[in-house]
Amino acid sequence: MRIDWIKQFFLFAAIPLLATSVLAKDPDFKAPAEYVGPPKPLHAATNRAFQGIPSMAVTPGGRLWATWYASKTPGEDANNYVVLSTSSDQGATWKEVLVVDPDEEGPVRTFDPELWMAPDGKLRLAWAQSIGHDGTVAGVWFLETDEPESAQPTWKKPVRVTDGVMMCKPTVLASGDWVLPASTWRKTDNSAKMVVSDDHGKTWSIRGACNVPPKVRAFDEHMFVERKDGSLWLLVRTRYGIGESVSTDGGKTWPELTPSTLAHPSARFFISRLNSGNLLLVKHGPIDKPTGRSHLMAFLSTDDGKSWSNGFLLDERAGVSYPDGQQTPDGLIRIIYDFSRTGDRNILMATFREEDVAAGKPVSKDVKLRQVVSKASGGMKKAKP
């Protein structure tokens, strides 16, 4: 998994030569995935040795959508495909309705999906598509529907919107601009990009980008926060945890990334503006105490990130990671995350309210933790060394 990126480097040691050869002759990684449709027997939850890295969205009518990626083999490899699941009963039951699989056994893989209910009322499923782990040749794809309340909506054709990988939620600025946090991670300067649309998603262009110092580059997985003073606060995953930069010109220029005061392992985090105007942050461990990928906690800030509450514990187990979520107009907050990607292979959801986070303990009647979205099994075992 991505926590062992050095191991992944050696695992994919043979791929760069293959990728160079394939990309030079065959643009398949830039072509739409060959299969976008109902799950086949190959994609059954009982034929997965790996699943994780989820995202979720909630429609205005209350339908829940969840996505993640999976594989019949136990890792992030050419067998990866994206899964889309939905629930009409507040997460009590789920049904997988769609997979995005470029070519089954590779070399192209789909991974790092994201779900977003955009201001235009459309549901968008995004994913990255590439060969191997090279974020410089990956592309961000959008699949959208006008029927987010339907269990079986009609989907438009997939569209490649920008280079790189988009691992976190888009942001809508006060100006109305839509912002994608796309990254050409690890190998390029100015990798943490701000990709903007001023025409409701019809066209996209890079407005600016932040440079992550080479020695601390990992998988940027960055997020943007528009502060009340109009500045843009950028938080980025690094090898040491979370780095930050602030733009005061609408995202055109960004000072080079520097360490933030938020203690964290090298892993994805989640930050969002709540209905109240306060900020919600979901990360591992206390604000100022580093941990591994355990103790997934939610924090509240009433002063635009200058200070944070003591934290509300969502799941203390080792092996929990990759939070993503959404607050709905009724105040409910739902956070999706994974647990034990090649062991238990769980996709889980936590439901709570802002007052629970502020109190640091359950005080509302709506707290539900470790709700099962998906549990996988089977697949191919790890090859013996």
Side-chain angles (χ1 to χ4, degrees), residues 38-117:
K40 299 178 181 180
L42 165 69
H43 307 119
T46 52
N47 189 33
R48 292 179 192 158
F50 166 92
Q51 71 169 5
I53 308 181
S55 174
M56 73 174 301
V58 188
T59 68
R63 176 172 289 279
L64 307 186
W65 291 94
T67 186
W68 59 92
Y69 72 96
S71 178
K72 67 179 182 179
T73 43
E76 301 177 22
D77 58 27
N79 295 291
N80 293 152
Y81 58 88
V82 166
V83 181
L84 182 67
S85 185
T86 189
S87 171
S88 61
D89 56 10
Q90 302 298 307
T93 60
W94 292 83
K95 182 179 181 180
E96 296 180 10
V97 295
L98 188 81
V99 297
V100 181
D101 194 344
D103 52 8
E104 294 193 357
E105 295 188 354
V108 184
R109 58 192 289 255
T110 50
F111 59 103
D112 285 2
E114 189 70 34
L115 279 167
W116 183 45
M117 277 300 308

Side-chain angles (χ1 to χ4, degrees), residues 70 176 190 236 343:
N190 301 308
V236 179

Side-chain angles (χ1 to χ4, degrees), residues 196-340:
V196 179
S197 174
D198 60 6
D199 55 11
H200 300 161
K202 294 178 183 177
T203 60
W204 298 89
S205 61
I206 298 172
R207 176 172 294 176
C210 180
N211 190 55
V212 182
K215 291 184 179 180
V216 300
R217 286 178 190 158
F219 306 91
D220 293 343
E221 298 174 354
H222 55 297
M223 297 196 77
F224 295 100
V225 175
E226 185 173 25
R227 287 175 159 167
K228 295 175 182 178
D229 64 4
S231 65
L232 297 176
W233 186 27
L234 173 66
L235 296 175
V236 179
R237 171 185 171 180
T238 67
R239 293 189 189 181
Y240 58 73
I242 300 176
E244 67 179 356
S245 181
V246 176
S247 173
T248 57
D249 59 6
K252 295 178 183 177
T253 60
W254 297 87
E256 183 161 285
L257 200 75
T258 57
S260 75
T261 58
L262 302 171
H264 203 248
S266 183
R268 185 171 78 170
F269 51 89
F270 176 75
I271 190 167
S272 180
R273 181 77 66 182
L274 297 176
N275 301 340
S276 64
N278 296 328
L279 290 178
L280 174 75
L281 173 67
V282 181
K283 70 172 209 72
H284 296 283
I287 285 293
D288 57 354
K289 182 180 179 181
T291 67
R293 293 192 178 190
S294 67
H295 296 84
L296 198 63
M297 302 178 72
F299 301 87
L300 190 69
S301 175
T302 60
D303 54 13
D304 253 8
K306 295 177 183 177
S307 63
W308 296 91
S309 63
N310 289 330
F312 176 52
L313 183 63
L314 305 180
D315 197 326
E316 77 282 0
R317 295 173 295 175
V320 293
S321 65
Y322 274 66
D324 182 76
Q326 182 182 329
Q327 185 184 36
T328 47
D330 62 1
L332 276 180
I333 301 168
R334 294 179 177 87
I335 296 295
I336 196 169
Y337 61 99
D338 62 33
F339 170 64
S340 184

Side-chain angles (χ1 to χ4, degrees), residues 351-365:
T351 303
F352 51 94
R353 291 185 176 273
E354 182 175 339
E355 52 260 43
D356 302 307
V357 183
K361 61 182 180 180
V363 294
S364 78
K365 60 180 178 57

